Amino acid sequence: MSDAIAFATIRELGARYRKRELSPVEVTRALLARIEKLDPALHAFVTLTPDRALADARAAEEALRRGDERPLLGVPVGHKDIYLTRGIRTTGGSALFADWVPDSESTVVRRWQDAGTVLLGKLITHEFAFGLQFPGHRFPPARNPWNLDHIPGGSSSGSGAALAAGLLHGATGSDTGGSIRGPAAFCGITGLKPTYGRVSRAGVMTLSWTLDHTGPMARTVEDCAYLLQAMAGHDAADPACSTRPVPDYVGALDGGVRGLRIGVPRNYFFDDADAENVRAFEDAVATLRKLGADVRDLKIPAFDLSRSFLLIVVAEAFAYHEQDLRRHPELYGEMLRERMLSGALVSGHEYVQAQRLRMQICADVAEVMKSIDVLATPTTPKPAPTFKMMYDPELAFPRTNMPPFNLTGQPTLALPCGLSASGLPLSLQLSGRAFEETTVLRLGHAYQRATDWHTRRPPV
Amino acid sequence: MPDEPKRPELTLDELRARIAAAGITIPENRLNMVRKLLGEALAPLRSLDSRKIRPLEPAVTFDAAGPHVGVGHE
């Protein structure tokens, strides 16, 4: 299969299907062959579903013949392996669920299926979607297609690696402290953490209730908009899910960015940042300015307090996993186990204080957002580290730029904005007001129309 | 009231006391990692005046006009 098909956008794929230049079955067969060739080195997939994929592709082909116009018809996708799939193994990246086949499925899985997608398989996740992957556990970690010695980011590691390698055209991710945006940044793809409550989490394994978000991962902003359109919307099965109407995300992409007010918070996000990450970010900001955006520097001191998010994550993760951690500690990866157990060491008043602090951060940022449309920052302060660096037993939890927006719940997009001297992707983070996904997508789309970083391919 | 001195970082002794109180086991060679993790997470809390940060209110909300899920009243 040509790279042109493996890396086609969702819009291009749909256009070629409808011109009968390509068929979903043909694309699905070609991608299954590509996965067979590349995935033994990447470990992006934990479970392949070729029979299901071909059945979905045939159904899509039939629907296309009837003139079905759904934009995701015949689009090959994969689900992060914390999304429950009926009749298909769902491991959570854990030995606890290594052979579990659910008899129900997540709302998002059902919605994408109803949209006509082709399910290629389940994508490896860091164990229980915690943001670190360690060796010696049940499943091998996914590797970064740009350099196999480097991590692809996580916890949606398989989603990031598979998209970067052209193994599928869309994937689900989840994001508690950056698990969509981190792999997007390190793998040179695009990922959106929607507003808290915009996309249902029903049927998705929990890490930390008050911080967990679900969202789309793809290679372009436009593809993310198509995928979000088919995910978003109220779901009574998720008590946090909003009843707000879902706007037309794809239709809003071309609105332009002239006059959009972009704030660059100069504190917190640049601490310990590599010079090349900062340089790529400044170039991206210059591009946005050239496109007509009104860019201004800011300081938001509340962000300096956002490391307290760790307290909420570990306390909530322990609350969720307590029974299993006490009964079957041996089934948790060694290093994850101790991080989750640390949640038992958080006192009641400390958890409450962390949530109070979070309310303070939300209020301070909301005040800033009254006069700013989008905040722009580097997604990560450094490019993808090596596995060796991550295996340092003294490493508690890497510092990144993403958790502040899990605390505030704002819609936040990560998209490629450069390459490091060593050839690793660098990323721009754009965060908007709650439920204003259309604004961050519009800005990201304008940036991708003006640049070609999202079209760069790894050497796989 | 004059500023009080900041509380010190989480010590290994304090960590061991928390582990004993929680009734869990953490291997000796992981204590330093856990101490770092909790220490970093607690630092913002320990730098603040707990009387001045926002309260967690309202604890219960409901919208009398529309559909709602969970806690609330008709």
Side-chain angles (χ1 to χ4, degrees):
Chain A
M1 177 173 57
S2 73
D3 275 6
I5 298 172
F7 291 100
T9 66
I10 288 172
R11 182 192 291 273
E12 288 163 356
L13 217 48
R16 295 191 68 181
Y17 285 161
R18 287 171 179 88
K19 285 184 198 161
R20 308 279 167 92
E21 292 173 2
L22 271 180
S23 82
V25 171
E26 189 185 345
V27 170
T28 299
R29 286 209 169 103
L31 286 177
L32 289 169
R34 187 174 172 91
I35 291 166
E36 194 178 334
K37 182 178 162 201
L38 298 179
D39 205 48
L42 294 173
H43 302 301
F45 282 88
V46 61
T47 304
L48 268 178
T49 55
D51 293 342
R52 162 71 183 271
L54 287 166
D56 286 349
R58 286 188 197 102
E61 214 152 282
E62 186 57 38
L64 283 163
R65 268 197 287 273
R66 293 194 306 267
D68 192 322
E69 290 292 327
R70 286 174 293 167
L72 293 187
L73 199 53
V75 173
V77 300
H79 290 298
K80 181 176 183 177
D81 211 20
I82 60 167
Y83 283 68
L84 272 58
T85 38
R86 182 183 288 117
I88 300 169
R89 183 172 75 141
T90 301
T91 70
S94 162
L96 262 174
F97 292 100
D99 302 306
W100 183 47
V101 178
D103 58 8
S104 62
E105 65 193 354
S106 71
T107 299
V108 165
V109 165
R110 192 178 63 250
R111 285 181 179 173
W112 274 17
Q113 189 181 346
D114 291 347
T117 59
V118 171
L119 179 59
L120 291 174
K122 303 297 292 290
L123 298 156
I124 192 65
T125 167
H126 290 183
E127 189 178 358
F128 288 125
F130 205 83
L132 298 165
Q133 177 76 52
F134 301 105
H137 192 53
R138 180 65 176 78
F139 302 100
R143 293 187 172 269
N144 193 322
W146 291 86
N147 185 327
L148 298 179
D149 292 333
H150 290 249
I151 68 164
S155 62
S156 311
S157 49
S159 305
L163 282 159
L167 305 185
L168 38 64
H169 293 78
T172 47
S174 70
D175 192 318
T176 303
S179 289
I180 286 175
R181 292 161 289 156
F186 288 166
C187 292
I189 60 152
T190 304
L192 175 71
K193 180 196 80 61
T195 308
Y196 186 79
R198 180 71 289 178
V199 177
S200 171
R201 300 166 305 169
V204 180
M205 289 180 182
T206 296
L207 175 60
S208 174
W209 295 274
T210 71
L211 295 166
D212 290 345
H213 298 63
T214 46
M217 298 170 72
R219 282 183 291 266
T220 68
V221 172
E222 184 187 66
D223 284 359
C224 280
Y226 276 114
L227 294 166
L228 177 65
Q229 201 76 56
M231 298 172 106
H234 180 59
D235 176 16
D238 177 354
C241 205
S242 173
T243 55
R244 284 176 186 240
V246 176
D248 178 356
Y249 297 116
V250 178
L253 285 174
D254 290 323
V257 299
R258 185 155 299 282
L260 213 57
R261 297 163 302 174
I262 298 176
V264 179
R266 288 290 171 185
N267 63 310
Y268 182 81
F269 297 94
F270 296 86
D271 298 348
D272 304 322
D274 279 9
E276 53 190 354
N277 286 68
V278 175
R279 197 160 41 246
F281 170 76
E282 300 298 351
D283 288 349
V285 166
T287 300
L288 296 176
R289 196 177 269 123
K290 269 189 216 152
L291 291 171
D294 168 13
V295 183
R296 53 188 92 163
D297 285 352
L298 303 166
K299 276 205 182 344
I300 307 179
F303 282 136
D304 294 325
L305 305 171
S306 50
R307 197 68 173 155
S308 58
F309 113 101
L310 275 172
L311 215 58
I312 299 172
V313 172
V314 295
E316 293 185 0
F318 180 76
Y320 184 75
H321 284 275
E322 179 177 6
Q323 267 188 341
D324 288 325
L325 273 167
R326 290 191 192 273
R327 285 183 190 162
H328 308 291
E330 75 286 356
L331 293 180
Y332 285 78
E334 189 186 359
M335 304 270 284
L336 173 74
R337 185 170 59 233
E338 271 82 55
R339 283 170 176 81
M340 277 199 177
L341 281 170
S342 67
L345 311 179
V346 178
S347 72
H349 80 272
E350 286 164 348
Y351 177 78
V352 170
Q353 302 291 39
Q355 289 287 13
R356 288 176 71 193
L357 200 54
R358 177 186 191 175
M359 292 299 107
Q360 186 72 53
I361 294 168
C362 289
D364 289 1
V365 176
E367 188 60 32
V368 170
M369 298 305 289
K370 285 180 183 170
S371 55
I372 290 291
D373 298 303
V374 175
L375 295 173
T377 73
T379 309
T380 63
K382 297 174 191 300
T386 60
F387 278 94
K388 193 177 168 196
M389 285 167 72
M390 297 303 289
Y391 290 170
D392 176 358
E394 293 291 307
L395 178 71
F397 198 88
R399 190 189 173 288
T400 75
N401 287 346
M402 299 169 281
F405 301 113
N406 295 82
L407 289 171
T408 63
Q410 294 167 259
T412 307
L413 181 71
L415 65 167
C417 70
L419 288 173
S420 71
S422 56
L424 292 168
L426 306 172
S427 176
L428 167 69
Q429 181 171 244
L430 302 173
S431 190
R433 282 188 286 264
F435 294 102
E436 292 190 9
E437 279 81 2
T438 48
T439 306
V440 289
L441 290 168
R442 180 158 54 100
L443 183 58
H445 183 61
Y447 178 76
Q448 290 192 334
R449 291 181 92 170
T451 59
D452 67 355
W453 296 112
H454 60 292
T455 67
R456 307 292 178 96
R457 303 293 170 236
V460 289
Chain B
M1 182 178 283
D3 285 348
E4 293 177 16
K6 280 184 187 172
R7 289 186 61 188
E9 286 185 3
L10 188 69
T11 64
L12 274 177
D13 284 346
E14 186 185 348
L15 183 66
R16 287 197 175 94
R18 284 176 184 244
I19 291 168
I24 61 169
T25 306
I26 292 181
E28 195 65 22
N29 65 349
R30 297 278 182 250
L31 287 183
N32 208 36
M33 182 276 290
V34 172
R35 187 183 68 84
K36 275 190 196 168
L37 179 72
L38 273 188
E40 280 183 41
L42 286 168
L45 269 60
R46 292 184 163 191
S47 69
L48 287 177
D49 181 342
S50 63
R51 292 158 301 186
K52 288 184 180 165
I53 51 176
R54 292 169 76 90
L56 266 185
E57 289 177 329
V60 178
T61 59
F62 61 92
D63 178 356
H68 51 266
V69 178
V71 181
H73 302 281
E74 294 297 336

